[in-house]
């Protein structure tokens, strides 16, 4: 009897446990059902993260990362910000955090002396050889630190789009984001481009949040977002005119908005103070005088206005860090002087106003390109119908597009990434609106499935070579004919080249490669630059490796000969023209062309 009772009790306990388990599963199902948009968004971003990690494990370091990673570590441990000051330190320091655990060998600040450019290159030239055994670990873990920023931008796109257009539009926007090759190309690289997209979108998200209910707490958050933008990328100083314009409008229309001018002034003061605090914090609250070598640099580059600039640095450094101001100055010089570039077979130092629209048309997957054009038209039409929420798409997009198209630095679609976020959101909202049209719902679903299927095929077709990706519009010429620089080659296929050369018994190569001077040595390949230089003998090698950007010709730099004579512009551009007509033995990542010259 006792045994029978115990058996019944055991069965009852097991049944009750099963009921509780079922209730738990039901609770989880209800939770998922209530937050299915968030679950889908999370799943999309997890797949994206896996993709980015897989590419990191296959690709080598890019040309710019050779400088950014050592500079970030130097900023982090030495608190000195002269190095690589054309880019604010925050993103580089974030990426360098894992190096505190790897503990690379480092050069002390006293060993590198010169102006900011000389010191940057000297430190880089000492850092990597001193850490030969950690070479791949260093760039793997620093790159891995960029993935949370990329995922953070995806989450922010979701939240921004949901706030404006609803959950389904937000999911569609995130899906577009996770499949776009240009995002996948730069979402893993230690650079300021994709973080700038995050900071720019965050600024407008917080600005909208503030305008909904103008409180001191929200003004503080706006100051934090504004300050973050200023220390992520120098081009994001564009947020400052936005704030000024908003403040002026507030003072003018205070009565109409039922707002006190005193309160507007208080909030503006909060924003400015917090912004200044963030900028100073990113530079460790350090504002040393400009170093003597950099003073000479200013005198050389801006002789007529030298005293004015020095006064600007001296006075401005009482408020914000000296080398934040100096970085802004160097970006201004870069934009003033331009950068050698190419577009559709044309060559120019100062670019073209239509460079970024053309680059966007070539380097964006065709489905997203079509959606973007339609979404911009739909946004403008919606504004004409007084749907004012669309201002939160078109104004930020127009601001960044106008700034980009007026720039003289036309070296990569990556500089246009902050404008992409608003296109993803607008396209997601357009697809959502089409799904609401009942009589065409089935056709819309078929179109959406086709477009996302097409984008998925493009993403898989390009994997892992996302940097040189171009769509089917670039089919009549080699990709390097259409664009140059980081659009077609950035040095991250050096490992594949080295593996091929080793397999063919080679340990040396002549060439012209982005970053080849800094990476091939760590893969056991001696790199000999093909361009002549006084006093340098270039050895004969069996193979010559030419990067796509050098085949283009725009990035070629040939030093003066012993008499100080420079080659003409046409000779410079066409120095490697004979290789354009050759058939390469192998192509690596669609970015490096390898030619065999002798058997």
């Amino acid at each position: 009897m006792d045994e029978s009772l115990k058996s019944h009790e055991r069965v009852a306990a097991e049944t009750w446990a099963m009921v509780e388990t079922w209730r738990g599963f039901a609770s989880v199902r209800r939770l998922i059902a209530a937050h299915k948009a968030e679950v889908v968004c999370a799943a999309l971003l997890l797949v994206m993260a896996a993709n980015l990690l897989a590419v990191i494990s296959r690709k080598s370091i890019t040309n710019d990362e050779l400088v950014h990673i050592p500079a970030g570590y130097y900023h982090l441990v030495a608190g000195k910000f002269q190095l690589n000051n054309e880019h604010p330190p925050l993103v580089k320091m974030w990426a360098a955090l894992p190096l505190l655990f790897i503990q690379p060998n480092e050069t002390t600040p006293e060993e590198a002396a010169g102006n900011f450019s000389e010191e940057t290159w000297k430190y880089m030239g000492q850092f990597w050889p001193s850490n030969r055994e950690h070479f791949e670990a260093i760039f793997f873990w620093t790159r891995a630190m960029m993935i949370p920023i990329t995922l953070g931008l995806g989450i922010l796109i979701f939240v921004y789009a949901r706030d404006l257009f609803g959950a389904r539009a937000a999911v569609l926007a995130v899906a577009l984001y996770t499949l776009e090759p240009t995002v996948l190309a730069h979402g893993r690289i230690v650079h300021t481009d994709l973080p700038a997209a995050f900071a720019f979108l965050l600024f407008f998200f917080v600005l909208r949040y503030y305008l909904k209910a103008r409180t001191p707490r929200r003004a503080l958050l706006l100051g934090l977002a504004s300050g973050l933008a200023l220390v992520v990328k120098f081009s994001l100083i564009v947020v400052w005119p936005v704030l000024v314009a908003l403040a002026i409008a507030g003072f003018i229309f205070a009565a109409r908005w039922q707002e006190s001018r005193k309160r507007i002034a208080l909030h503006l003061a909060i924003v400015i103070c917090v912004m200044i605090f963030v900028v100073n914090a990113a530079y460790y609250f350090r504002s040393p005088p400009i170093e003597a070598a950099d003073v000479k640099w200013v005198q050389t580059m801006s002789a007529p206005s030298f005293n004015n600039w020095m006064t600007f640095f001296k006075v401005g450094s009482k408020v914000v860090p000296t080398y934040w101001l100096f970085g802004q100055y160097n970006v201004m010089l870069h934009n003033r002087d331009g950068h050698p570039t190419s577009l559709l077979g044309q060559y120019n130092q100062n670019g073209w106003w239509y460079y970024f629209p053309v680059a966007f048309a070539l380097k964006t997957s065709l489905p997203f390109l079509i959606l973007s054009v339609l979404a911009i038209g739909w946004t403008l039409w919606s504004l004409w119908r007084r749907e004012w929420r669309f201002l939160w798409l078109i104004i930020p997009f127009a601001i960044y597009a106008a700034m980009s198209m007026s720039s003289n630095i036309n070296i990569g679609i990556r500089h246009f990434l902050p404008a992409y976020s608003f296109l993803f959101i607008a396209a997601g909202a357009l697809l959502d609106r089409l799904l609401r049209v009942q009589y065409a719902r089935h056709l819309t679903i078929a179109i959406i499935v086709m477009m996302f299927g097409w984008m998925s095929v493009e993403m898989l077709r390009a994997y892992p070579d996302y940097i040189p990706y171009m769509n089917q519009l670039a089919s009549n010429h080699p990709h390097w004919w259409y664009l140059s620089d980081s659009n077609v080659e950035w040095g991250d296929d050096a490992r594949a080249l080295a593996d091929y050369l080793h397999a063919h018994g080679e340990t040396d190569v002549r060439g012209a490669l982005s970053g080849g001077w800094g990476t091939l040595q760590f893969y056991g390949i001696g790199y000999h630059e093909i361009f002549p230089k006084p006093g340098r003998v270039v050895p004969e090698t069996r193979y010559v490796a030419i990067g796509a950007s050098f085949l283009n010709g725009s990035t070629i730099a040939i030093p003066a000969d012993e008499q100080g004579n420079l080659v003409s512009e046409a000779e410079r551009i066409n120095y490697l023209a004979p290789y354009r007509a050759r058939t390469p033995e192998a192509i690596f990542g669609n970015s490096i062309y390898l030619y065999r010259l002798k058997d």
Side-chain angles (χ1 to χ4, degrees):
M1 184 70 178
D2 289 342
E3 288 298 323
S4 176
L5 182 60
K6 288 179 180 179
S7 174
H8 285 300
E9 288 176 348
R10 186 166 58 251
V11 170
E14 289 175 354
T15 303
W16 182 253
M18 291 175 62
V19 169
E20 288 297 310
T21 302
W22 178 255
R23 285 179 178 175
F25 286 141
S27 177
V28 169
R29 284 199 301 272
R30 285 194 299 271
L31 183 65
I32 291 174
H35 299 280
K36 59 183 177 182
E38 289 84 351
V39 171
V40 174
C41 173
L44 289 168
L45 292 175
L46 284 174
V47 172
M48 183 188 200
N51 187 349
L52 293 172
L53 279 171
V55 176
I56 288 175
S57 67
R58 294 188 59 172
K59 292 289 186 176
S60 185
I61 194 169
T62 63
N63 182 77
D64 286 22
E65 288 173 303
L66 286 167
V67 176
H68 290 328
I69 292 171
Y73 187 62
Y74 197 6
H75 299 328
L76 195 62
V77 299
K80 189 174 180 182
F81 301 98
Q82 183 196 27
L83 294 182
N84 191 220
N85 61 65
E86 275 198 29
H87 304 277
L90 186 63
V91 173
K92 292 175 285 182
M93 290 195 295
W94 164 261
L97 283 174
L99 303 190
L100 297 177
F101 301 94
I102 294 175
Q103 285 291 298
N105 299 315
E106 58 190 85
T107 303
T108 58
E110 291 75 20
E111 290 180 55
N115 67 40
F116 73 96
S117 181
E118 294 169 353
E119 189 171 341
T120 297
W121 290 103
K122 184 173 182 180
Y123 184 72
M124 183 277 298
Q126 294 171 330
F127 178 87
W128 292 112
S130 298
N131 292 282
R132 185 177 296 272
E133 69 278 12
H134 300 305
F135 176 65
E136 294 212 349
I138 287 173
F139 77 71
F140 178 88
W141 289 110
T142 51
R143 284 176 151 197
M145 290 297 287
M146 303 308 293
I147 294 178
I149 299 177
T150 303
L151 300 184
L153 176 56
I155 294 170
L156 189 56
I157 287 172
F158 176 84
V159 175
Y160 197 102
R162 184 181 60 183
D163 196 32
L164 286 171
F165 302 106
R168 185 168 60 188
V171 170
L172 291 167
V174 172
L176 293 169
Y177 171 75
T178 59
L179 292 173
E180 185 53 38
T182 296
V183 173
L184 295 170
H186 297 281
R188 60 180 171 90
I189 290 173
V190 181
H191 217 303
T192 57
D193 302 306
L194 194 130
F198 174 85
F200 193 61
L201 182 60
L202 179 66
F203 169 77
F204 281 97
F205 176 78
V206 176
L207 179 61
R208 185 168 185 268
Y209 178 69
Y210 167 75
L211 291 177
K212 283 182 178 179
R214 296 178 290 277
T215 66
R217 176 177 169 273
R218 295 190 179 197
L220 186 149
L221 291 175
L222 182 57
L224 287 172
S226 304
L228 178 67
L230 295 180
V231 293
V232 165
K233 192 175 181 69
F234 283 128
S235 63
L236 294 190
I237 198 170
V238 70
V239 305
W240 178 240
V242 174
L243 291 173
V244 171
L246 186 64
I248 292 172
F251 282 114
I252 293 174
F253 300 107
R256 181 180 299 179
W257 294 350
Q258 298 181 341
E259 187 66 89
S260 162
R261 286 190 173 91
K262 185 180 293 186
R263 186 176 175 182
I264 292 172
L266 173 63
H267 289 189
L268 182 61
I270 291 172
V271 170
I272 293 172
C273 289
V274 173
M275 192 183 338
I276 292 172
F277 175 85
V278 171
V279 173
N280 279 280
Y283 286 77
Y284 289 6
F285 298 98
R286 296 179 182 180
S287 194
I290 294 179
E291 297 185 8
D294 291 334
V295 172
K296 291 181 180 178
W297 168 262
V298 178
Q299 191 167 21
T300 301
M301 300 304 294
S302 305
S305 55
F306 169 71
N307 291 329
N308 292 337
W309 278 112
M310 293 311 298
T311 301
F312 170 72
F313 293 136
K314 184 176 180 180
V315 175
S317 64
K318 305 295 183 184
V319 181
V320 292
T322 311
Y323 275 94
W324 185 83
L325 294 171
F326 195 73
Q328 292 280 6
Y329 167 78
N330 279 313
V331 171
M332 182 212 69
L333 288 182
H334 193 178
N335 188 61
R336 181 196 72 183
D337 298 335
H339 197 103
T341 188
S342 174
L343 178 68
L344 304 180
Q346 307 172 77
Y347 297 87
N348 200 332
Q349 178 75 22
N350 294 313
W352 302 265
W353 69 265
Y354 51 86
Y355 175 88
F356 284 103
V358 173
F360 181 81
L362 292 169
K363 289 191 65 64
T364 302
S365 63
L366 280 180
F368 180 55
L369 176 62
I370 294 167
L371 279 174
S372 296
V373 173
L374 293 175
I376 291 172
W378 176 61
T379 297
L380 294 173
W381 181 72
S382 299
L383 284 172
W384 184 73
R385 297 179 63 221
R386 299 187 178 184
E387 292 188 52
W388 303 124
R389 58 181 171 166
F390 285 90
L391 287 173
W392 291 99
L393 296 181
I394 202 65
I395 288 179
F397 175 79
I399 288 172
Y400 210 86
M403 184 182 68
S404 300
M405 292 167 67
S406 62
S407 171
N408 291 332
I409 307 172
N410 292 173
I411 57 176
I413 190 62
R414 59 191 175 87
H415 288 170
F416 196 60
L417 276 170
Y420 272 60
S421 303
F422 303 96
L423 294 176
F424 290 129
I425 295 168
L430 173 60
L431 293 176
D432 176 64
R433 178 64 64 89
L434 292 174
L435 284 170
R436 296 174 189 272
V437 180
Q438 291 300 322
Y439 66 85
R441 184 177 175 82
H442 294 299
L443 177 61
T444 301
I445 290 173
I447 291 172
I448 290 174
V449 169
M450 181 191 72
M451 284 200 156
F452 279 108
W454 188 357
M455 287 187 73
S456 299
V457 169
E458 288 294 286
M459 181 265 290
L460 293 171
R461 179 176 72 87
Y463 175 87
D465 307 319
Y466 295 124
I467 285 178
Y469 170 81
M470 289 190 191
N471 63 36
Q472 288 76 11
L473 295 179
S475 59
N476 293 330
H477 299 278
H479 286 181
W480 51 259
W481 182 87
Y482 294 94
L483 296 164
S484 66
D485 216 289
S486 59
N487 290 306
V488 294
E489 177 210 6
W490 220 4
D492 62 347
D493 289 304
R495 183 198 296 161
L497 169 64
D499 289 344
Y500 186 91
L501 291 172
H502 282 305
H504 288 74
E506 300 296 318
T507 56
D508 290 272
V509 68
R510 280 182 295 151
L513 300 173
S514 179
W517 44 268
T519 53
L520 285 176
Q521 59 178 308
F522 301 110
Y523 297 114
I525 298 294
Y527 175 71
H528 308 283
E529 193 172 84
I530 201 170
F531 306 119
K533 186 176 182 180
R536 181 177 64 189
V537 177
V538 181
E540 290 292 320
T541 56
R542 186 183 181 192
Y543 286 101
V544 169
I546 309 294
S549 190
F550 289 90
L551 275 178
N552 171 283
S554 66
T555 55
I556 291 174
I558 302 175
D561 62 20
E562 294 177 352
Q563 287 73 43
N565 299 316
L566 290 169
V567 300
S568 69
E569 182 68 1
E571 289 174 320
R572 180 186 74 82
I573 290 169
N574 293 302
Y575 188 84
L576 297 174
Y579 291 97
R580 297 172 188 165
R582 283 177 171 265
T583 300
E585 179 174 299
I587 301 175
F588 305 100
N590 292 324
S591 73
I592 297 177
Y593 294 70
L594 185 66
Y595 303 89
R596 185 189 297 201
L597 298 189
K598 55 184 180 180
D599 294 322

